[in-house]
């Protein structure tokens, strides 16, 4: 189910409730069941959806609401708040400061959009007057360095990588050191991906992280991976200190549910979303406007 459909289904459920003359237990249950169905179809993890339903029922106790209360408003507000809570882990991620060096390490599976997202992130900050730099520590995928180099050149962002060095840790360290000397304030390290979660990848990530001591590790996730999102995000979080999530490919056939699951699994906020292949198809992610849009 694409995001727009999820939003449509939820607002339809709310509309149906609004059309009912009396809001009783049955109307509320019908509405919640409809929303549950929509969220599950959008690949939100079952446990998250169940918890949400329980919480709303706890908040909206129809017996306790005196006749004068606007039950529809209270229910709608409770649904809004619960969806926001799902997307808000309660603590903001590390925020780099312009003019002060920060090292940001990107992790994710191959094909998730990691390399593209590194450049988008650098470009976004460069437009705001930062001095970003890109380090390609992906020695696993043939062509990874060329891709990063091409993107970086197009955006006029300094980059570092090697065609001959096969040790990702030494490349990462050398790149970070060089750009620290050059007073870059946002040093972005792109790491290897793999087709699936495997021990070698996680070990490499751990080593790069230990050697470069990133201020923030960003987990990049393809929004179309569906129900696999929770486990995948959790596996990354267990290996490195993921502090933020970027969800890519929110254009096209994107499923919104994966974002909710990734937040739950990593206890980290989504900070940006990717909305296309181009450098500037990249948006800051804000929970409340996102949920408002979802509810229509
Ligand atoms: P990596 O293997 O994780 O480094 O992935 P890449 O950065 O090479 O991206 C894989 C593919 O996804 C490329 O064709 C990208 O152009 C594409 N891609 C990345 N982000 C987005 C996005 O937000 N939307 C769309 N439609 N495509 C994207």
């Amino acid at each position: 189910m694409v995001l727009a459909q999820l939003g449509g289904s939820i607002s339809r459920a709310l509309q149906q409730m609004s059309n009912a003359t009396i809001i009783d237990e049955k109307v509320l249950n019908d509405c919640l069941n409809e929303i549950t169905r929509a969220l599950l179809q959008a690949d939100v993890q079952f446990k998250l959806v169940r918890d949400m339903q329980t919480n709303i029922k706890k908040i909206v106790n129809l017996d306790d609401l005196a006749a004068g209360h606007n039950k529809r408003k209270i229910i709608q507000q409770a649904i809004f708040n619960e969806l926001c809570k799902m997307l808000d882990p309660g603590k903001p991620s590390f925020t780099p400061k312009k003019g002060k060096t920060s090292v940001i390490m990107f992790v994710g599976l191959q094909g998730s959009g990691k390399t593209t997202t590194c450049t988008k992130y650098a470009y976004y900050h460069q437009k705001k007057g930062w001095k970003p730099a890109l380090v390609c520590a992906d020695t696993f995928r043939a062509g990874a360095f060329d891709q990063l180099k091409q993107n970086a050149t197009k955006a006029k962002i300094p980059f570092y990588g090697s065609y001959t060095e096969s040790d990702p840790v030494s490349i990462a360290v050398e790149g970070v050191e060089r750009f620290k000397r050059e007073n870059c304030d946002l040093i972005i390290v792109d790491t290897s991906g793999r087709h699936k979660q495997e021990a070698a990848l996680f070990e490499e990530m751990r080593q790069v992280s230990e050697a470069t001591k990133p201020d923030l590790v960003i987990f990049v996730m393809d929004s179309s991976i569906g129900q696999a999102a929770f486990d995948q995000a959790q596996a990354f979080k267990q290996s490195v200190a993921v502090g933020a999530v970027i969800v890519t490919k929110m254009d096209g056939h994107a499923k919104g549910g994966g974002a909710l699951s990734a937040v739950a699994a990593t206890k980290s906020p989504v900070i940006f979303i990717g909305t296309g292949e181009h450098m500037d198809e990249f948006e800051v992610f804000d929970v409340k406007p996102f949920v408002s849009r979802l509810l229509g």
Side-chain angles (χ1 to χ4, degrees), residues 211-260:
T212 56
K213 306 223 167 358
D215 297 285
L216 175 66
V217 177
I218 299 179
F219 170 60
V220 178
M221 192 196 81
D222 180 337
S223 62
S224 64
I225 63 167
Q227 285 287 350
F230 189 90
D231 288 346
Q232 189 187 108
Q234 199 171 42
F236 275 86
K237 174 79 178 184
Q238 279 162 0
S239 298
V240 278
V242 171
V245 177
I246 295 182
V247 184
T248 62
K249 309 184 194 181
M250 290 291 271
D251 48 311
H253 302 290
K255 296 197 183 195
L260 292 128

Side-chain angles (χ1 to χ4, degrees), residues 123-141:
Y123 182 66
Y124 171 88
H125 285 90
Q126 189 191 48
K127 276 193 305 188
K128 290 181 177 295
W130 294 62
K131 230 184 123 185
L134 290 159
V135 178
C136 176
D138 180 354
T139 51
F140 183 77
R141 179 164 66 98

